Amino acid sequence: MAFDFASVSAPFRMQPGLRRLPPGATQLTPNAPGHRALREKLAVLGAYAGQALLCAPGFDPSPALQALSEHAAAEHPEAWSSLGAGHGHARWLGWSVREGQFEPHANAQADIGPCLHALPPPWRLPALLSLAFAEDFAVIDGRTAHIPWLAVCLPSGWAPEEKVGRHFAEVHAPVADNQRLVTASDHLARLVTGDERWSRDVWSITRHPRLHAHPARLDPAPWPATADARTLAERAFFRTEHQTFIPLPGLQQAVFTIHVTLTPLTQALASAAQAQQLHDALASMSDAVLAYRSLTDARGRLLEWLQARAAG
């Protein structure tokens, strides 16, 4: 399911924004060889696996991981198969993992083998799932509202290693204007680990050109001070996250999925109406949100360009 532009609204508010997924809506997006998300995830797992694959002490992710594998196989049998606990076959990528051991197939993508080999055996199946799909994954515990497990290669300006094992409220503590998110944390954790499927969409405008946006590897350079509105817009990207929750009510858990997309801002808007929507949302952001999203110095020029685009 693509990003829902209706999520771009004014006045802008940091809020849960949950919507029920309609029957039949898919939650995963298979990666094919050459896909951008696959390339970036391979690079991250090759260099920074310890910051992407994380588990809180004492937590057993096996039941949730098996449920995710079975969900993937049911939703996209052409791309993934699951033949029991500890087993998964990424059909499009040509690799399988069984009880921590990996095996190539006739269509094996060569650079995946060294990536799996370098990982501890318990992490090979989660890594293959992460490579097989564009989404990142986390497990939410509805009983404690904690996040005990993550496989996140493409974070949006946050460090997964600082979030594992923490309460929902702690995870969102650094977010600007976060009162609604923090207050609703325990309720949200119970809601998304119930029987229904939920989704939400979030967005931002960024100068960073990669899906992988770990704060330790973001370019610290500011927005160019001398660029005019058009030049600035040409250097900007519209970053979106389509987030869903795969409920595991028998476990009182959910698998949280995050599908990141990055589109040049000048190509992201399908109509003058969308340009006006984005203009109005950006114009209504508080100073705290602008600072949190590193947009303070760019907002005036972005608003100028968006207004011109909205005017046709």
Side-chain angles (χ1 to χ4, degrees):
M1 181 181 292
F3 172 79
D4 183 359
F5 214 88
S7 300
V8 180
S9 59
F12 179 87
R13 295 289 185 269
M14 295 294 240
Q15 56 190 353
L18 290 176
R19 301 183 305 277
R20 288 180 176 85
L21 278 171
T26 59
Q27 294 178 261
L28 302 176
T29 311
N31 274 331
H35 279 187
R36 180 178 185 176
L38 174 59
R39 295 197 309 270
E40 291 205 31
K41 286 186 173 191
L42 268 172
V44 170
L45 291 178
Y48 309 110
Q51 293 179 329
L53 305 176
L54 301 147
C55 185
F59 179 72
D60 178 12
S62 301
L65 185 61
Q66 179 61 23
L68 173 60
S69 180
E70 292 173 357
H71 181 96
E75 197 173 271
H76 296 285
E78 75 286 0
W80 183 267
S81 65
S82 178
L83 301 177
H87 174 269
H89 178 194
R91 295 180 179 276
W92 287 3
L93 306 185
W95 288 91
S96 62
V97 170
R98 184 187 298 274
E99 297 181 352
Q101 303 304 308
F102 59 95
E103 177 186 359
H105 297 266
N107 62 327
Q109 183 172 326
D111 49 359
I112 291 177
C115 174
L116 296 175
H117 177 76
L119 294 172
W123 279 111
R124 288 172 179 164
L125 181 58
L128 188 60
L129 264 167
S130 183
L131 294 171
F133 294 93
E135 286 75 15
D136 280 332
F137 305 113
V139 172
I140 299 168
D141 189 328
R143 293 164 295 188
T144 65
H146 283 65
I147 301 176
W149 185 92
L150 299 103
V152 176
C153 296
L154 310 175
S156 295
W158 54 279
E161 68 272 20
E162 296 177 359
K163 309 299 183 182
V164 64
R166 301 181 70 178
H167 190 278
F168 244 38
E170 292 181 285
V171 168
H172 290 105
V175 177
D177 291 356
N178 64 1
Q179 294 86 350
R180 296 186 185 187
L181 290 173
V182 170
T183 301
S185 291
D186 289 295
H187 169 71
L188 289 174
R190 291 191 297 270
L191 182 68
V192 300
T193 56
D195 295 323
E196 297 185 276
R197 299 188 305 154
W198 298 87
S199 71
R200 67 190 293 258
D201 291 283
V202 298
W203 63 272
S204 188
I205 300 173
T206 179
R207 62 186 180 276
H208 302 293
R210 295 183 302 276
L211 296 175
H212 173 63
H214 190 289
R217 284 171 288 281
L218 289 176
D219 184 351
W223 292 92
T226 59
D228 61 20
R230 179 176 178 178
T231 302
L232 194 77
E234 289 172 346
R235 298 182 183 182
F237 297 87
F238 188 57
R239 185 182 183 97
T240 70
E241 290 186 7
H242 179 61
Q243 305 173 354
T244 79
F245 301 84
I246 300 172
L248 314 174
L251 301 171
Q252 290 184 270
Q253 296 173 359
V255 176
F256 178 42
T257 77
I258 313 168
H259 185 185
V260 177
T261 62
L262 195 68
T263 309
L265 181 61
T266 55
Q267 301 173 22
L269 306 174
S271 65
Q274 287 188 354
Q276 189 66 55
Q277 276 180 261
L278 192 56
H279 172 280
D280 294 348
L282 182 59
S284 66
M285 283 184 180
S286 69
D287 290 343
V289 169
L290 290 170
Y292 175 72
R293 298 190 170 202
S294 301
L295 285 169
T296 303
D297 296 337
R299 177 167 70 164
R301 287 170 287 171
L302 291 173
L303 289 175
E304 180 183 342
W305 180 83
L306 288 165
Q307 192 62 68
R309 185 70 175 265

